[in-house]
Amino acid sequence: MQADLAHNRKSITIVGPPNNRVYPPGPGASFLATEVSVGGNAVESPATEPDADGRMMIRLLEPCTDPNGVGCTIFEDAATLHLTTTRWYPSSLRIFDGSLMVIGGIHETTSFYNNDSVSSFEFFPPKDNGVARPSAFLERSLPVNLFPRGFSLPDGRVFMIANNQTIIYDIEAKTETILPDIPNGVRVTNPFDGTATLLPLSPPLYTPEILVCGGSNSSDTTPPDQHSSQDPASDQCSRIVVTPEGIQRGWIVERMPEGRVMPEMILLPDGRVLIINGAATGYASIGSVRDPIGNSNADHAVLRPVLYDPNAPLGQRFSNDGLPSSEIARVYHSTVTLTPNGNIFVAGSNPNQNPGVVNNTKFHTEFRAEYLNPPYMSVARPELHNVPATLPFNHTFTVDVTMPPGLEARNVQGTFQCL
């Protein structure tokens, strides 16, 4: 969003993009600000584990503010609240009506490829009388299509990525429109994980663009034990404008400073994209390639993040300036998130067999967490006032903005995200 903030203090009104569609804050969020967790693991040790099979579960985590969890509610009831089928490694996203769409997965755990696919979509709350919708797209994209990527578009349709294939899915018409493949045979979903994001939407047209980075150029017909932890990850980023003209032009290819498998992307408050975590060689999953590093299918952790500026000229969009290197490898089972303060929380990494904790190996079970402060954290920033604590669905609201002394107020950009 852009606003003219030429005065020291000015009220601005936040309005939705055309058609008042809702945009997803990430997998598992509903329109009531309730976090929704779907799918999971089967019981691995029935004699010692009291928990039920988690693969059909839907878990609701109600919002709360107490840092110690007092008054926080987690609701799960396998008898009354569940998916239509077992799903391990599915994805989910919030769609235009505020409900949740659940995509793909596998019925059983797997050591590498998706060899028992759940090639369907379903919804929470349920649509279609609770019957899952079959997907030809998920069938075509086997066997490298676990954790498929999905993004809600301004017109209510969903952009999906699995393997090296892409479609637009029309939820209301129940149709799939096939789009150009990701170039150069690069595959970006598990176990060849890259990362993808919907770039920030800006007025007046809110034109959607998708950015996909990293992954692997390896063949998805090669048996797992013929892959290597030393196979290079892809340094390719591919970007497409999701309009008829942009789709006809196809993907525009760019190159990161280094290849990454299992990276993560975070949209930053200044409109740039942080690319962080991952490894320079290998794959996701555990102990399935011919030469794992301990249990890790990947090696050569990439320790320094990179910034991507969507508005810079082609060939000048990547920069490491002002970003430190970490000393902690973040490979399989790592995570990253943007905090409400604007800095980055990084945690995880455990490419080891369950159950238990594995130490004394190169990529051990990692319990340390880190914060990364992007360059904008060291400068004065505008302050928001009179921000409502809660918002009804599809609502317009007004906030006041105070500009710090010395900050140029013309053409200030504000990025508004659901967290």
Short mmCIF file of all heavy atoms in Angstrom, two decimals, residues 190-242:
data_model
loop_
_atom_site.label_atom_id
_atom_site.label_comp_id
_atom_site.label_asym_id
_atom_site.label_seq_id
_atom_site.Cartn_x
_atom_site.Cartn_y
_atom_site.Cartn_z
N ASN A 190 8.84 -31.14 -2.02
CA ASN A 190 9.51 -32.20 -1.27
C ASN A 190 9.52 -33.53 -2.02
O ASN A 190 8.50 -33.94 -2.56
CB ASN A 190 8.78 -32.35 0.07
CG ASN A 190 9.43 -33.31 1.01
OD1 ASN A 190 9.18 -34.51 0.92
ND2 ASN A 190 10.27 -32.82 1.89
N PRO A 191 10.69 -34.22 -2.06
CA PRO A 191 11.91 -33.96 -1.28
C PRO A 191 12.97 -33.13 -2.00
O PRO A 191 14.12 -33.14 -1.60
CB PRO A 191 12.43 -35.37 -1.03
CG PRO A 191 12.05 -36.12 -2.27
CD PRO A 191 10.73 -35.57 -2.69
N PHE A 192 12.58 -32.41 -3.08
CA PHE A 192 13.52 -31.55 -3.81
C PHE A 192 13.26 -30.08 -3.46
O PHE A 192 13.32 -29.21 -4.32
CB PHE A 192 13.36 -31.74 -5.31
CG PHE A 192 13.79 -33.08 -5.86
CD1 PHE A 192 13.97 -34.19 -5.06
CD2 PHE A 192 14.02 -33.24 -7.22
CE1 PHE A 192 14.35 -35.43 -5.57
CE2 PHE A 192 14.42 -34.47 -7.76
CZ PHE A 192 14.57 -35.56 -6.92
N ASP A 193 13.00 -29.79 -2.21
CA ASP A 193 12.38 -28.53 -1.81
C ASP A 193 13.13 -27.29 -2.25
O ASP A 193 14.31 -27.11 -1.95
CB ASP A 193 12.27 -28.47 -0.29
CG ASP A 193 11.31 -29.49 0.26
OD1 ASP A 193 11.69 -30.68 0.34
OD2 ASP A 193 10.19 -29.10 0.62
N GLY A 194 12.39 -26.41 -2.92
CA GLY A 194 12.75 -25.01 -3.05
C GLY A 194 11.84 -24.21 -2.14
O GLY A 194 11.34 -24.71 -1.13
N THR A 195 11.58 -22.96 -2.52
CA THR A 195 10.67 -22.11 -1.75
C THR A 195 9.95 -21.20 -2.73
O THR A 195 10.42 -20.95 -3.84
CB THR A 195 11.43 -21.31 -0.68
OG1 THR A 195 10.50 -20.57 0.12
CG2 THR A 195 12.42 -20.34 -1.31
N ALA A 196 8.79 -20.69 -2.32
CA ALA A 196 7.98 -19.86 -3.21
C ALA A 196 7.19 -18.86 -2.39
O ALA A 196 6.90 -19.07 -1.21
CB ALA A 196 7.04 -20.73 -4.04
N THR A 197 6.82 -17.75 -3.03
CA THR A 197 5.99 -16.76 -2.36
C THR A 197 5.17 -15.99 -3.39
O THR A 197 5.54 -15.89 -4.56
CB THR A 197 6.84 -15.78 -1.53
OG1 THR A 197 5.98 -15.00 -0.69
CG2 THR A 197 7.64 -14.84 -2.42
N LEU A 198 4.05 -15.48 -2.94
CA LEU A 198 3.30 -14.46 -3.67
C LEU A 198 3.91 -13.12 -3.29
O LEU A 198 3.93 -12.76 -2.11
CB LEU A 198 1.82 -14.52 -3.28
CG LEU A 198 0.90 -13.42 -3.82
CD1 LEU A 198 0.74 -13.52 -5.33
CD2 LEU A 198 -0.47 -13.48 -3.14
N LEU A 199 4.43 -12.39 -4.27
CA LEU A 199 5.07 -11.11 -3.98
C LEU A 199 4.04 -10.09 -3.51
O LEU A 199 2.84 -10.25 -3.77
CB LEU A 199 5.81 -10.61 -5.22
CG LEU A 199 7.04 -11.43 -5.62
CD1 LEU A 199 7.61 -10.96 -6.95
CD2 LEU A 199 8.12 -11.38 -4.53
N PRO A 200 4.48 -9.03 -2.81
CA PRO A 200 3.53 -8.05 -2.27
C PRO A 200 2.61 -7.49 -3.36
O PRO A 200 3.05 -7.19 -4.47
CB PRO A 200 4.45 -6.97 -1.69
CG PRO A 200 5.70 -7.69 -1.33
CD PRO A 200 5.87 -8.74 -2.39
N LEU A 201 1.34 -7.36 -3.01
CA LEU A 201 0.34 -6.82 -3.93
C LEU A 201 0.24 -5.32 -3.72
O LEU A 201 0.09 -4.85 -2.59
CB LEU A 201 -1.01 -7.48 -3.67
CG LEU A 201 -1.07 -8.99 -3.90
CD1 LEU A 201 -2.30 -9.59 -3.23
CD2 LEU A 201 -1.08 -9.30 -5.39
N SER A 202 0.31 -4.57 -4.81
CA SER A 202 0.34 -3.11 -4.70
C SER A 202 -0.78 -2.49 -5.53
O SER A 202 -1.13 -2.99 -6.61
CB SER A 202 1.69 -2.56 -5.20
OG SER A 202 2.75 -3.08 -4.42
N PRO A 203 -1.36 -1.37 -5.04
CA PRO A 203 -2.37 -0.68 -5.83
C PRO A 203 -1.73 0.00 -7.03
O PRO A 203 -0.51 0.19 -7.04
CB PRO A 203 -2.94 0.33 -4.83
CG PRO A 203 -1.82 0.56 -3.86
CD PRO A 203 -1.08 -0.73 -3.77
N PRO A 204 -2.47 0.33 -8.06
CA PRO A 204 -3.94 0.25 -8.09
C PRO A 204 -4.49 -1.08 -8.58
O PRO A 204 -5.66 -1.35 -8.42
CB PRO A 204 -4.31 1.36 -9.07
CG PRO A 204 -3.15 1.38 -10.04
CD PRO A 204 -1.93 1.08 -9.22
N LEU A 205 -3.66 -1.93 -9.20
CA LEU A 205 -4.17 -3.13 -9.86
C LEU A 205 -4.01 -4.40 -9.03
O LEU A 205 -4.65 -5.41 -9.33
CB LEU A 205 -3.47 -3.32 -11.22
CG LEU A 205 -3.66 -2.21 -12.23
CD1 LEU A 205 -2.89 -2.52 -13.52
CD2 LEU A 205 -5.14 -1.99 -12.54
N TYR A 206 -3.15 -4.37 -8.02
CA TYR A 206 -2.89 -5.56 -7.20
C TYR A 206 -2.54 -6.77 -8.07
O TYR A 206 -3.04 -7.87 -7.90
CB TYR A 206 -4.10 -5.88 -6.31
CG TYR A 206 -4.44 -4.77 -5.35
CD1 TYR A 206 -5.42 -3.84 -5.66
CD2 TYR A 206 -3.76 -4.63 -4.14
CE1 TYR A 206 -5.73 -2.80 -4.78
CE2 TYR A 206 -4.06 -3.61 -3.25
CZ TYR A 206 -5.05 -2.69 -3.59
OH TYR A 206 -5.34 -1.66 -2.71
N THR A 207 -1.65 -6.53 -9.03
CA THR A 207 -1.27 -7.58 -9.97
C THR A 207 -0.44 -8.65 -9.26
O THR A 207 0.62 -8.35 -8.70
CB THR A 207 -0.46 -7.00 -11.13
OG1 THR A 207 -1.26 -6.00 -11.78
CG2 THR A 207 -0.09 -8.08 -12.14
N PRO A 208 -0.87 -9.91 -9.27
CA PRO A 208 -0.12 -10.95 -8.56
C PRO A 208 1.09 -11.44 -9.36
O PRO A 208 1.03 -11.63 -10.57
CB PRO A 208 -1.15 -12.08 -8.39
CG PRO A 208 -2.10 -11.89 -9.52
CD PRO A 208 -2.14 -10.42 -9.83
N GLU A 209 2.19 -11.62 -8.64
CA GLU A 209 3.40 -12.23 -9.20
C GLU A 209 3.89 -13.30 -8.23
O GLU A 209 3.87 -13.11 -7.01
CB GLU A 209 4.50 -11.20 -9.41
CG GLU A 209 4.19 -10.15 -10.46
CD GLU A 209 5.39 -9.25 -10.72
OE1 GLU A 209 6.40 -9.74 -11.28
OE2 GLU A 209 5.32 -8.07 -10.35
N ILE A 210 4.36 -14.41 -8.78
CA ILE A 210 4.86 -15.53 -7.99
C ILE A 210 6.36 -15.64 -8.19
O ILE A 210 6.86 -15.57 -9.32
CB ILE A 210 4.18 -16.85 -8.40
CG1 ILE A 210 2.67 -16.76 -8.22
CG2 ILE A 210 4.77 -18.02 -7.61
CD1 ILE A 210 2.20 -16.68 -6.79
N LEU A 211 7.10 -15.82 -7.09
CA LEU A 211 8.55 -16.03 -7.13
C LEU A 211 8.85 -17.40 -6.55
O LEU A 211 8.39 -17.75 -5.46
CB LEU A 211 9.26 -14.96 -6.31
CG LEU A 211 10.78 -15.05 -6.23
CD1 LEU A 211 11.42 -14.75 -7.60
CD2 LEU A 211 11.33 -14.08 -5.17
N VAL A 212 9.63 -18.20 -7.28
CA VAL A 212 10.01 -19.55 -6.87
C VAL A 212 11.53 -19.65 -6.92
O VAL A 212 12.14 -19.33 -7.95
CB VAL A 212 9.40 -20.62 -7.79
CG1 VAL A 212 9.71 -22.02 -7.28
CG2 VAL A 212 7.90 -20.43 -7.94
N CYS A 213 12.17 -20.08 -5.83
CA CYS A 213 13.64 -20.11 -5.78
C CYS A 213 14.15 -21.44 -5.21
O CYS A 213 13.52 -22.05 -4.34
CB CYS A 213 14.17 -18.98 -4.91
SG CYS A 213 13.90 -17.33 -5.60
N GLY A 214 15.35 -21.84 -5.70
CA GLY A 214 16.01 -23.02 -5.18
C GLY A 214 15.40 -24.30 -5.69
O GLY A 214 14.69 -24.34 -6.70
N GLY A 215 15.67 -25.40 -4.95
CA GLY A 215 15.21 -26.72 -5.37
C GLY A 215 16.33 -27.51 -6.01
O GLY A 215 17.51 -27.35 -5.67
N SER A 216 15.97 -28.36 -6.97
CA SER A 216 16.95 -29.27 -7.57
C SER A 216 16.64 -29.50 -9.04
O SER A 216 15.47 -29.58 -9.44
CB SER A 216 16.95 -30.61 -6.83
OG SER A 216 17.83 -31.53 -7.44
N ASN A 217 17.70 -29.65 -9.83
CA ASN A 217 17.58 -30.03 -11.24
C ASN A 217 17.61 -31.54 -11.45
O ASN A 217 17.54 -32.01 -12.58
CB ASN A 217 18.74 -29.43 -12.06
CG ASN A 217 18.70 -27.92 -12.09
OD1 ASN A 217 19.19 -27.28 -11.19
ND2 ASN A 217 18.13 -27.37 -13.15
N SER A 218 17.71 -32.31 -10.38
CA SER A 218 17.84 -33.76 -10.51
C SER A 218 16.56 -34.37 -11.10
O SER A 218 15.47 -33.82 -11.00
CB SER A 218 18.13 -34.40 -9.16
OG SER A 218 19.39 -33.98 -8.67
N SER A 219 16.72 -35.55 -11.68
CA SER A 219 15.58 -36.26 -12.25
C SER A 219 14.73 -36.89 -11.15
O SER A 219 15.26 -37.43 -10.17
CB SER A 219 16.07 -37.36 -13.20
OG SER A 219 15.00 -38.20 -13.58
N ASP A 220 13.41 -36.85 -11.33
CA ASP A 220 12.53 -37.47 -10.35
C ASP A 220 12.24 -38.94 -10.68
O ASP A 220 11.39 -39.57 -10.04
CB ASP A 220 11.22 -36.70 -10.21
CG ASP A 220 10.42 -36.63 -11.49
OD1 ASP A 220 10.87 -37.18 -12.52
OD2 ASP A 220 9.33 -36.01 -11.49
N THR A 221 12.97 -39.49 -11.67
CA THR A 221 12.87 -40.93 -11.96
C THR A 221 14.08 -41.70 -11.43
O THR A 221 14.12 -42.93 -11.52
CB THR A 221 12.75 -41.17 -13.47
OG1 THR A 221 13.92 -40.69 -14.14
CG2 THR A 221 11.51 -40.46 -14.03
N THR A 222 15.06 -40.99 -10.88
CA THR A 222 16.25 -41.63 -10.32
C THR A 222 15.91 -42.26 -8.97
O THR A 222 15.33 -41.59 -8.11
CB THR A 222 17.38 -40.61 -10.14
OG1 THR A 222 17.69 -40.03 -11.41
CG2 THR A 222 18.63 -41.26 -9.57
N PRO A 223 16.25 -43.51 -8.72
CA PRO A 223 16.00 -44.11 -7.40
C PRO A 223 16.70 -43.33 -6.30
O PRO A 223 17.80 -42.78 -6.51
CB PRO A 223 16.58 -45.52 -7.53
CG PRO A 223 16.57 -45.80 -9.00
CD PRO A 223 16.83 -44.49 -9.67
N PRO A 224 16.11 -43.24 -5.12
CA PRO A 224 16.72 -42.46 -4.04
C PRO A 224 18.16 -42.83 -3.75
O PRO A 224 19.00 -41.96 -3.51
CB PRO A 224 15.81 -42.75 -2.84
CG PRO A 224 14.50 -43.12 -3.44
CD PRO A 224 14.81 -43.81 -4.72
N ASP A 225 18.49 -44.14 -3.77
CA ASP A 225 19.85 -44.55 -3.40
C ASP A 225 20.87 -44.29 -4.50
O ASP A 225 22.05 -44.61 -4.35
CB ASP A 225 19.88 -46.02 -2.98
CG ASP A 225 19.43 -46.97 -4.07
OD1 ASP A 225 19.16 -46.52 -5.20
OD2 ASP A 225 19.32 -48.19 -3.79
N GLN A 226 20.41 -43.68 -5.61
CA GLN A 226 21.36 -43.22 -6.62
C GLN A 226 21.55 -41.70 -6.58
O GLN A 226 22.41 -41.17 -7.27
CB GLN A 226 20.89 -43.66 -8.02
CG GLN A 226 20.93 -45.16 -8.22
CD GLN A 226 20.51 -45.57 -9.63
OE1 GLN A 226 20.63 -44.80 -10.57
NE2 GLN A 226 20.02 -46.80 -9.76
N HIS A 227 20.75 -41.02 -5.79
CA HIS A 227 21.00 -39.60 -5.52
C HIS A 227 22.12 -39.47 -4.50
O HIS A 227 22.44 -40.43 -3.78
CB HIS A 227 19.74 -38.93 -4.97
CG HIS A 227 18.66 -38.71 -5.98
ND1 HIS A 227 18.84 -37.99 -7.14
CD2 HIS A 227 17.36 -39.13 -5.99
CE1 HIS A 227 17.70 -37.96 -7.82
NE2 HIS A 227 16.79 -38.65 -7.16
N SER A 228 22.72 -38.28 -4.44
CA SER A 228 23.84 -38.04 -3.53
C SER A 228 23.59 -36.80 -2.69
O SER A 228 22.99 -35.82 -3.15
CB SER A 228 25.13 -37.87 -4.32
OG SER A 228 26.19 -37.40 -3.50
N SER A 229 24.10 -36.83 -1.48
CA SER A 229 24.07 -35.63 -0.64
C SER A 229 24.93 -34.51 -1.21
O SER A 229 24.85 -33.37 -0.73
CB SER A 229 24.55 -35.97 0.78
OG SER A 229 25.89 -36.42 0.75
N GLN A 230 25.75 -34.83 -2.23
CA GLN A 230 26.62 -33.83 -2.85
C GLN A 230 26.06 -33.32 -4.18
O GLN A 230 26.70 -32.49 -4.84
CB GLN A 230 28.01 -34.43 -3.08
CG GLN A 230 28.64 -35.00 -1.82
CD GLN A 230 28.67 -34.01 -0.67
OE1 GLN A 230 29.20 -32.90 -0.81
NE2 GLN A 230 28.12 -34.41 0.48
N ASP A 231 24.86 -33.75 -4.58
CA ASP A 231 24.24 -33.22 -5.80
C ASP A 231 23.94 -31.74 -5.59
O ASP A 231 23.32 -31.35 -4.59
CB ASP A 231 22.93 -33.95 -6.11
CG ASP A 231 23.16 -35.39 -6.54
OD1 ASP A 231 24.29 -35.72 -6.96
OD2 ASP A 231 22.20 -36.19 -6.47
N PRO A 232 24.36 -30.87 -6.52
CA PRO A 232 24.19 -29.43 -6.30
C PRO A 232 22.72 -29.01 -6.30
O PRO A 232 21.92 -29.49 -7.12
CB PRO A 232 24.95 -28.80 -7.46
CG PRO A 232 25.01 -29.85 -8.51
CD PRO A 232 25.07 -31.16 -7.78
N ALA A 233 22.39 -28.13 -5.40
CA ALA A 233 21.06 -27.51 -5.40
C ALA A 233 20.99 -26.46 -6.49
O ALA A 233 22.02 -25.96 -6.97
CB ALA A 233 20.77 -26.88 -4.04
N SER A 234 19.78 -26.10 -6.89
CA SER A 234 19.60 -25.09 -7.93
C SER A 234 19.75 -23.68 -7.36
O SER A 234 19.28 -23.39 -6.26
CB SER A 234 18.21 -25.24 -8.57
OG SER A 234 17.98 -24.19 -9.49
N ASP A 235 20.40 -22.81 -8.14
CA ASP A 235 20.48 -21.39 -7.77
C ASP A 235 19.43 -20.57 -8.52
O ASP A 235 19.43 -19.34 -8.45
CB ASP A 235 21.87 -20.83 -8.06
CG ASP A 235 22.23 -20.84 -9.56
OD1 ASP A 235 21.45 -21.40 -10.37
OD2 ASP A 235 23.30 -20.30 -9.92
N GLN A 236 18.50 -21.25 -9.18
CA GLN A 236 17.54 -20.55 -10.03
C GLN A 236 16.38 -19.97 -9.22
O GLN A 236 15.85 -20.60 -8.33
CB GLN A 236 16.98 -21.53 -11.07
CG GLN A 236 15.90 -20.95 -11.98
CD GLN A 236 15.49 -21.91 -13.07
OE1 GLN A 236 16.28 -22.23 -13.94
NE2 GLN A 236 14.26 -22.40 -13.01
N CYS A 237 16.02 -18.74 -9.57
CA CYS A 237 14.75 -18.15 -9.16
C CYS A 237 13.93 -17.90 -10.42
O CYS A 237 14.47 -17.46 -11.44
CB CYS A 237 14.94 -16.84 -8.43
SG CYS A 237 15.52 -17.00 -6.72
N SER A 238 12.65 -18.21 -10.37
CA SER A 238 11.76 -18.02 -11.50
C SER A 238 10.59 -17.17 -11.05
O SER A 238 10.03 -17.38 -9.98
CB SER A 238 11.25 -19.38 -12.01
OG SER A 238 12.32 -20.24 -12.31
N ARG A 239 10.21 -16.22 -11.89
CA ARG A 239 9.17 -15.24 -11.52
C ARG A 239 8.17 -15.12 -12.66
O ARG A 239 8.57 -15.04 -13.84
CB ARG A 239 9.82 -13.90 -11.21
CG ARG A 239 8.88 -12.77 -10.83
CD ARG A 239 9.70 -11.60 -10.32
NE ARG A 239 8.93 -10.37 -10.20
CZ ARG A 239 9.40 -9.22 -9.73
NH1 ARG A 239 10.66 -9.16 -9.29
NH2 ARG A 239 8.64 -8.14 -9.66
N ILE A 240 6.89 -15.11 -12.32
CA ILE A 240 5.85 -15.02 -13.34
C ILE A 240 4.77 -14.05 -12.88
O ILE A 240 4.41 -14.00 -11.70
CB ILE A 240 5.25 -16.40 -13.66
CG1 ILE A 240 4.41 -16.36 -14.94
CG2 ILE A 240 4.45 -16.95 -12.50
CD1 ILE A 240 4.01 -17.73 -15.46
N VAL A 241 4.28 -13.24 -13.83
CA VAL A 241 3.16 -12.34 -13.60
C VAL A 241 1.89 -13.11 -13.92
O VAL A 241 1.74 -13.63 -15.03
CB VAL A 241 3.27 -11.07 -14.47
CG1 VAL A 241 2.07 -10.15 -14.22
CG2 VAL A 241 4.57 -10.34 -14.18
N VAL A 242 0.97 -13.18 -12.97
CA VAL A 242 -0.21 -14.02 -13.13
C VAL A 242 -1.34 -13.19 -13.76
O VAL A 242 -2.35 -12.87 -13.12
CB VAL A 242 -0.63 -14.67 -11.81
CG1 VAL A 242 -1.70 -15.74 -12.05
CG2 VAL A 242 0.57 -15.30 -11.12
#
